[in-house]
Amino acid sequence: MSDEIVLQTRALTKVYRDFWGRQKVRALKALDLEVYRGEVFGLLGPNGSGKTTTIKLLLGLLFPTEGEALVFGKPASDVGKNERLGYLPEESYLYRFLTAEETLDFYGRLFDMSPTVRNERVDSLIKLVGLERARKRQLQEYSKGMTRRIGLAQALINDPELILLDEPTSGLDPIGTREMKDMILRLKDEGKTIVMCSHLLADVQDVCDRIAILHQGELKELGRVDELLTVADVTQIRARNLTTDCQNEIRDVIARHHGELLAMDNPTTTLEELFLTIVRDSEARPGRRAGVR
Amino acid sequence: MVLEQQLLPYFQWLLYGGNGELGALPKFALVFLGLVMAALVVGYAIAAARHGLLRGGDVTYHTIVDGLREIVDTSPRRIWALARLAIKESLRRRVGVALGVYFLILLFANWCLSTNHQDPARLYLSFVLTATTYLVIGVAVLLSAFSLPGDFKTKTIYTVVTKPVRAGEIILGRIIGFAIVMTVLLALMSVASYVFVVRSLNHSHDVEVDSLEKIVDASGNVTGRSGRTTASAGHFHEFRLDAEGFATTSTVNGHTHEVEAVGDNSFRISGPNGFIRARVPQYGKLRFIDRSGAAKDRGISVGNEWTYRSFIDGNTPATAIWTFDDVGPHVREDYLPLALIVRVFRTHKGVVGRPIQGELRVRNPDTGATSDPFPFDAMDQQVDEYNINRELTTNNGQPIDLYDDLVTKDGRLEVLVKCLERGQYFGFAQADCYIRMPDGSPAASYAKVCVSIWVQAVIVIAVGVTISTVVSGPVALLFAAGFIILGLWRQDFVDIATGKSYGGGPAESVYRILTQANVMVRLEEGVLTTLLVGFDRFFAKPIMWAVAQFLPDFSAFSTVGYAAEGYNVPWDRVFQDVTTCLAYVVGLALIGYFLLRTREVAR
Ligand SMILES: Nc1ncnc2c1ncn2[C@@H]1O[C@H](COP(=O)(O)OP(=O)(O)O)[C@@H](O)[C@H]1O
Ligand SMILES: [Mg+2]
């Protein structure tokens, strides 16, 4: 992770209006975010909290009502930024009458790749997502998991620097979920910047360096996952090989260094708990930033 | 062949115009500028409403500048990728069904069209070509109107626009892809049609042996045989075999056969010739002399509403005079091939079906030297072909040479036509007399007709794709259909807008309909009338006029008439149509580009 900002929002606000221009939903309220090169950034929030809206604004699929979204320092409406990013949508929005191969070939062409580069990329990506045996089948025959994987391959076709993943593990079984998370970590190791949004807490906890928690379009929490999850005034002791006596005298034992001390550090709560507190807190006092810490 | 307006040579059409119209290029520039201005005003108004006056200006400015920059970034590979996608999509949507429908139509035509008709080729060609036009345009509308809205609905567009794709490429790719699909369909249909027409018209005869008679000349030598063929396809031909045993039959139902005697009583007869023709006319300039001998631009009216032709009265000095340029032996060494179409107007019946007599003379416009008249029998509205021999006599019997004496040095020649019978009238338009240049290839001319169908379909595709960037499929379909229909009636639009047609503008017409006042009645003076006329004058008519400026004249695109009536489609016509088509594609793609760019994709 470096100091270079790849993605930035300034007071980003989105109001959905109906056909007559009347206000329907305030989906996002004055969001300020910065994402640095090389980190995995998680957008966390319950359904309808504005995660997808944020991603769409970053991609220029939606226009902000107020504020602005910058990607690589350029406004989100600039097409040029797309050269360097990949996007996996919430659901697979791919042409169902194309095969896996044709799909990747098509998107490769949209990056103006030469045929040799394209074929190479298509082959390696199909291998990467494990669809070798289904490469000549139309996407309409694919299962949800396979569709998700071809969706990911599609997002990686240009070897992007910045990857936006909208609910990457939705619809995947535990194994698929695991594979997806490993993939994200691998991409991170390759130096890519990843922004993912999810309502699945475990996923976010496992892979994200930093997270932002959104609720009803408002930013509730922002910070490093490890810091956020630290409870400062509690000490946790994990020990092994303790007899019943020892357990009874555990404080003495520790004080006198009789047992084998495996760990003595600050315990963490689960992300789940933090998340739920924030949501509850937000419901009780809307419009305020949560004060859990 | 009705030619209401003279076809301009391509470059004159492109740059300078004529027939009361501006050159195509300046006109395109003007319409384009007008549209740009309108778009700027509307665009700024919307942006200002959304972002405020200053920031609105900023947004508008950036949209335009970025837009122009992106046009430079357009990549052929991306366009081609999107075009391929459009082709695959069409195949998935079973465009092939259109071919099935087409073959059903041909089957139906086979049942219902008769070859026993005075011009069966015309019947067949106009039927199959019209069917092809409608079907191809229908497919074009359906494909183009539902494609982009489908992508918006399935949200597949999200994964496309988040690639470095320029909005213009999405539009162009689709137009090109669908145009390719349509081209293949059209090619298959037109080849099938051509084969169908040729095969349907094909027939052969035998010689009616009993009818054969020897032809004997004055000195008693046998110079040949005359006879007729057996009836087939509802007609028979007569022929006169020459001494070598060859003959071309009489023309019946627009065709002839070649007859060859291979033995005493055995003959070989070819298939029909001349059904499908591509006549190449060289037109002249028409003027008239009226019954009192005075020069006139037009003849008299016999009360037809359609003023295309005007008339000369029979057995008076009234004459129709065509002046041709560029006449000389290069047309034909030994004779001048002419064609004349006469519209006969009878004030008394005479013998029904009997032709009316007329006469034709050729004259040198400078010296006034005139040939002896050639009498002819005029049948109504039929192309009669005459060959004026090179050796002629003047009216006092002096021999003169057509090309040397009657054609001026700069190649001009006059053709004078009169009607000989009292109380009967001949009607002519400029295109009714022409010099027959050697026929073009019928197949090539037919292909050119198909190009004109192609042009219409491409424009429709461009319209469909462009409008479907902002509305849903069914609405886009309606819009494109409306565009075609308005385009077919474009001339009426212009006539109403410029006050040429009776009955006033839309508001006044509605009022007239409601009050059952016919178009000629003067409306009562009053506030209401003033309001209606004012509304038409300052609102409705300017809008109609503006719309007419960029509507394509679909009725004028069709060249089916050329093929049906057996005329060659001039290259000037083809180039003009293709150029117009290109202008529409460019203009519409640009409009579509800005529409798509300023639209929120994830709405
Ligand atoms: N196209 C739309 N029109 C109107 N409201 C929308 C639209 N898309 C999303 N919303 C609303 O905006 C809010 C945020 O939606 P979204 O960003 O999709 O949430 P998330 O992805 O966090 O589940 C929700 O209340 C949703 O109903
Ligand atoms: Mg979502």
Side-chain angles (χ1 to χ4, degrees):
Chain A
M1 196 176 126
S2 72
D3 290 344
E4 190 192 334
I5 297 173
V6 263
L7 211 153
Q8 191 175 25
T9 68
R10 294 198 200 121
L12 192 62
T13 303
K14 180 67 195 177
V15 177
Y16 285 110
R17 296 179 187 277
D18 66 8
F19 180 79
W20 306 107
R22 288 176 305 198
Q23 183 165 331
K24 224 161 58 177
V25 188
R26 281 183 80 85
L28 201 60
K29 298 165 197 165
L31 178 70
D32 286 304
L33 276 186
E34 279 171 0
V35 175
Y36 300 96
R37 178 172 297 282
E39 71 173 333
V40 180
F41 189 91
L43 275 172
L44 192 55
N47 287 331
S49 57
K51 306 181 296 289
T52 301
T53 303
T54 310
I55 296 222
K56 284 180 181 169
L57 285 164
L58 287 169
L59 286 164
L61 288 173
L62 290 173
F63 302 149
T65 311
E66 259 158 52
E68 58 181 344
L70 299 175
V71 181
F72 302 120
K74 290 182 198 159
S77 58
D78 187 298
V79 186
K81 71 175 194 311
N82 293 348
E83 295 277 2
R84 294 153 69 191
L85 67 78
Y87 165 51
L88 172 66
E90 221 167 345
E91 279 162 46
S92 267
Y93 301 138
L94 301 174
Y95 292 97
R96 292 160 50 78
F97 52 87
L98 297 182
T99 66
E101 229 172 47
E102 288 170 335
T103 303
L104 295 183
D105 185 70
F106 168 65
Y107 289 111
R109 283 168 192 264
L110 295 189
F111 281 98
D112 214 348
M113 290 180 184
S114 69
T116 33
V117 178
R118 209 163 60 218
N119 290 340
E120 235 168 76
R121 272 313 281 168
V122 171
D123 282 342
S124 69
L125 279 171
I126 285 185
K127 207 167 289 160
L128 182 74
V129 297
L131 286 173
E132 287 109 320
R133 292 178 50 200
R135 62 187 292 165
K136 296 222 184 293
R137 278 166 59 190
Q138 291 192 335
L139 300 196
Q140 56 201 359
E141 303 169 7
Y142 273 26
S143 72
K144 174 96 194 194
M146 291 159 85
T147 317
R148 211 67 200 141
R149 283 191 258 165
I150 186 71
L152 181 68
Q154 163 277 133
L156 299 178
I157 185 83
N158 56 330
D159 196 14
E161 294 166 39
L162 169 65
I163 305 164
L164 300 168
L165 305 171
D166 196 343
E167 313 266 356
T169 56
S170 83
L172 292 183
D173 59 10
I175 305 165
T177 307
R178 185 73 256 161
E179 282 174 358
M180 180 64 82
K181 287 196 261 192
D182 288 347
M183 179 82 71
I184 293 172
L185 291 173
R186 192 153 73 224
L187 291 168
K188 179 194 158 161
D189 288 343
E190 288 173 19
K192 315 225 178 280
T193 313
I194 294 158
V195 175
M196 61 176 276
C197 71
S198 180
H199 59 267
L200 297 174
L201 311 168
D203 296 355
V204 175
Q205 186 171 9
D206 287 348
V207 297
C208 292
D209 299 318
R210 290 199 307 141
I211 55 168
I213 297 183
L214 288 176
H215 183 235
Q216 292 175 349
E218 280 174 276
L219 180 67
K220 294 296 178 184
E221 189 61 89
L222 175 67
R224 295 197 57 84
V225 176
D226 41 12
E227 283 169 14
L228 282 177
L229 302 185
T230 302
V231 184
D233 53 352
V234 183
T235 304
Q236 186 184 42
I237 297 167
R238 286 161 71 201
R240 192 164 64 185
N241 290 343
L242 296 189
T243 64
T244 322
D245 288 347
C246 286
Q247 281 177 21
N248 292 337
E249 297 176 60
I250 189 151
R251 280 182 187 81
D252 300 342
V253 171
I254 292 168
R256 278 177 266 140
H257 296 271
H258 279 182
E260 187 192 355
L261 191 63
L262 285 180
M264 188 161 184
D265 54 12
N266 300 323
T268 55
T269 172
T270 62
L271 185 51
E272 199 149 6
E273 236 172 74
L274 175 71
F275 177 73
L276 289 175
T277 340
I278 287 173
V279 171
R280 254 179 258 126
D281 186 56
S282 160
E283 259 150 19
R285 289 176 295 166
R288 295 253 311 267
R289 190 150 164 163
V292 195
R293 263 195 290 173
Chain B
M1 176 92 210
V2 170
L3 260 191
E4 299 215 33
Q5 262 179 1
Q6 213 182 333
L7 186 72
L8 299 172
Y10 179 74
F11 285 104
Q12 188 189 344
W13 169 83
L14 187 69
L15 301 173
Y16 310 111
N19 295 333
E21 293 247 9
L22 227 51
L25 206 59
K27 180 161 183 212
F28 179 74
L30 278 181
V31 172
F32 189 76
L33 266 182
L35 274 180
V36 168
M37 293 312 230
L40 271 182
V41 171
V42 174
Y44 174 70
I46 293 173
R50 272 218 322 238
H51 307 283
L53 290 182
L54 267 181
R55 194 140 142 63
D58 194 46
V59 168
T60 316
Y61 171 78
H62 276 288
T63 309
I64 294 163
V65 172
D66 292 352
L68 294 180
R69 211 185 45 224
E70 280 187 15
I71 289 170
V72 182
D73 290 339
T74 300
S75 139
R77 188 177 275 146
R78 281 196 289 263
I79 294 180
W80 178 232
L82 289 155
R84 279 171 37 127
L85 182 80
I87 295 172
K88 283 182 188 160
E89 185 195 312
S90 321
L91 295 181
R92 189 186 58 96
R93 279 163 54 185
R94 313 220 184 292
V95 273
V97 171
L99 280 181
V101 172
Y102 190 64
F103 288 116
L104 279 181
I105 291 177
L106 285 192
L107 213 67
F108 175 78
N110 205 14
W111 266 357
C112 300
L113 295 184
S114 152
T115 51
N116 184 17
H117 178 270
Q118 72 162 17
D119 192 354
R122 175 195 188 131
L123 198 68
Y124 270 74
L125 282 171
S126 62
F127 179 84
V128 292
L129 285 170
T130 309
T132 309
T133 309
Y134 286 137
L135 210 61
V136 167
I137 288 185
V139 169
V141 172
L142 285 178
L143 280 182
S144 60
F146 285 96
S147 172
L148 263 177
D151 268 26
F152 279 105
K153 210 153 125 199
T154 58
K155 302 186 177 170
T156 41
I157 191 88
Y158 290 12
T159 44
V160 174
V161 295
T162 51
K163 305 286 182 276
V165 175
R166 276 52 180 183
E169 294 166 343
I170 296 180
I171 309 278
L172 269 184
R174 280 208 163 53
I175 293 179
I176 292 172
F178 293 137
I180 289 173
V181 172
M182 180 277 293
T183 309
V184 172
L185 271 186
L186 176 61
L188 290 175
M189 285 183 191
S190 42
V191 169
S193 305
Y194 197 74
V195 172
F196 170 77
V197 171
V198 169
R199 292 195 49 150
S200 303
L201 297 181
N202 194 21
H203 62 270
S204 112
H205 302 268
D206 285 324
V207 168
E208 195 83 66
V209 180
D210 297 344
S211 71
L212 286 174
E213 277 170 29
K214 290 197 167 61
I215 306 172
V216 182
D217 69 2
S219 48
N221 299 326
V222 176
T223 56
R225 284 182 290 175
S226 71
R228 59 182 167 79
T229 66
T230 54
S232 153
H235 65 273
F236 64 88
H237 301 259
E238 286 166 355
F239 59 86
R240 292 164 79 88
L241 288 166
D242 62 15
E244 278 88 49
F246 289 102
T248 301
T249 66
S250 59
T251 305
V252 179
N253 290 1
H255 69 280
T256 59
H257 299 264
E258 298 298 321
V259 186
E260 182 191 354
V262 285
D264 229 9
N265 268 338
S266 120
F267 300 89
R268 196 179 291 145
I269 300 193
S270 74
N273 292 326
F275 257 138
I276 307 181
R277 290 189 57 183
R279 298 184 184 90
V280 181
Q282 180 190 322
Y283 293 111
K285 276 244 168 309
L286 172 63
R287 64 196 165 91
F288 289 91
I289 288 176
D290 74 3
R291 58 188 304 159
S292 62
K296 285 274 158 67
D297 282 343
R298 293 185 57 81
I300 59 171
S301 163
V302 292
N304 281 348
E305 236 177 277
W306 192 38
T307 53
Y308 173 65
R309 289 192 172 90
S310 58
F311 290 77
I312 51 174
D313 356 31
N315 198 21
T316 68
T319 315
I321 305 175
W322 281 268
T323 312
F324 293 97
D325 290 329
D326 203 20
V327 185
H330 63 272
V331 180
R332 272 291 184 156
E333 187 62 42
D334 43 353
Y335 61 89
L336 179 69
L338 271 186
L340 186 68
I341 304 161
V342 183
R343 181 83 180 85
V344 177
F345 180 78
R346 295 162 188 263
T347 51
H348 53 87
K349 218 188 281 169
V351 181
V352 176
R354 193 179 64 78
I356 305 287
Q357 282 211 324
E359 65 166 36
L360 183 152
R361 284 170 299 158
V362 283
R363 182 169 80 180
N364 185 321
D366 288 349
T367 64
T370 312
S371 75
D372 234 5
F374 305 91
F376 64 85
D377 294 330
M379 290 290 274
D380 197 21
Q381 282 187 307
Q382 172 174 313
V383 183
D384 292 312
E385 306 193 331
Y386 305 106
N387 297 331
I388 313 283
N389 271 326
R390 201 161 164 180
E391 292 101 43
L392 298 170
T393 47
T394 62
N395 25 11
N396 44 32
Q398 299 287 314
I400 47 168
D401 183 86
L402 172 68
Y403 290 135
D404 293 343
D405 300 327
L406 294 180
V407 174
T408 63
K409 289 229 168 43
D410 54 351
R412 282 174 301 126
L413 174 75
E414 284 180 338
V415 173
L416 293 79
V417 177
K418 289 173 92 165
C419 172
L420 293 182
E421 294 185 29
R422 243 189 92 224
Q424 315 288 31
Y425 296 78
F426 280 176
F428 294 113
Q430 186 152 294
D432 285 344
C433 179
Y434 56 85
I435 298 176
R436 284 149 42 219
M437 305 303 274
D439 271 12
S441 142
S445 181
Y446 179 86
K448 288 189 255 178
V449 175
C450 295
V451 171
S452 77
I453 299 177
W454 184 87
V455 161
Q456 297 174 59
V458 169
I459 293 180
V460 168
I461 288 175
V463 171
V465 170
T466 299
I467 190 65
S468 69
T469 52
V470 280
V471 296
S472 67
V475 179
L477 178 75
L478 278 180
F479 189 94
F483 193 84
I484 299 169
I485 292 169
L486 288 184
L488 283 172
W489 272 274
R490 177 183 182 273
Q491 195 52 47
D492 299 85
F493 246 69
V494 178
D495 286 350
I496 293 172
T498 53
K500 234 190 245 167
S501 61
Y502 296 111
E508 191 183 326
S509 310
V510 168
Y511 180 73
R512 282 179 189 276
I513 291 169
L514 289 180
T515 56
Q516 302 187 347
N518 72 39
V519 293
M520 301 306 292
V521 171
R522 271 182 77 88
L523 294 181
E524 245 172 80
E525 302 272 328
V527 182
L528 182 62
T529 309
T530 315
L531 273 180
L532 288 173
V533 174
F535 172 84
D536 282 345
R537 173 120 168 252
F538 295 107
F539 187 72
K541 285 183 179 181
I543 287 187
M544 290 178 76
W545 182 84
V547 169
Q549 291 315 299
F550 55 84
L551 270 182
D553 193 339
F554 271 101
S555 58
F557 274 126
S558 176
T559 49
V560 172
Y562 281 88
E565 302 198 23
Y567 286 88
N568 188 44
V569 180
W571 278 112
D572 280 326
R573 183 59 208 271
V574 178
F575 290 143
Q576 289 180 17
D577 288 356
V578 171
T579 309
T580 310
C581 172
L582 210 70
Y584 272 103
V585 170
V586 170
L588 284 165
L590 265 177
I591 295 174
Y593 166 82
F594 280 105
L595 289 178
L596 190 55
R597 243 187 85 90
T598 47
R599 153 173 196 166
E600 259 186 327
V601 170
R603 231 22 250 268

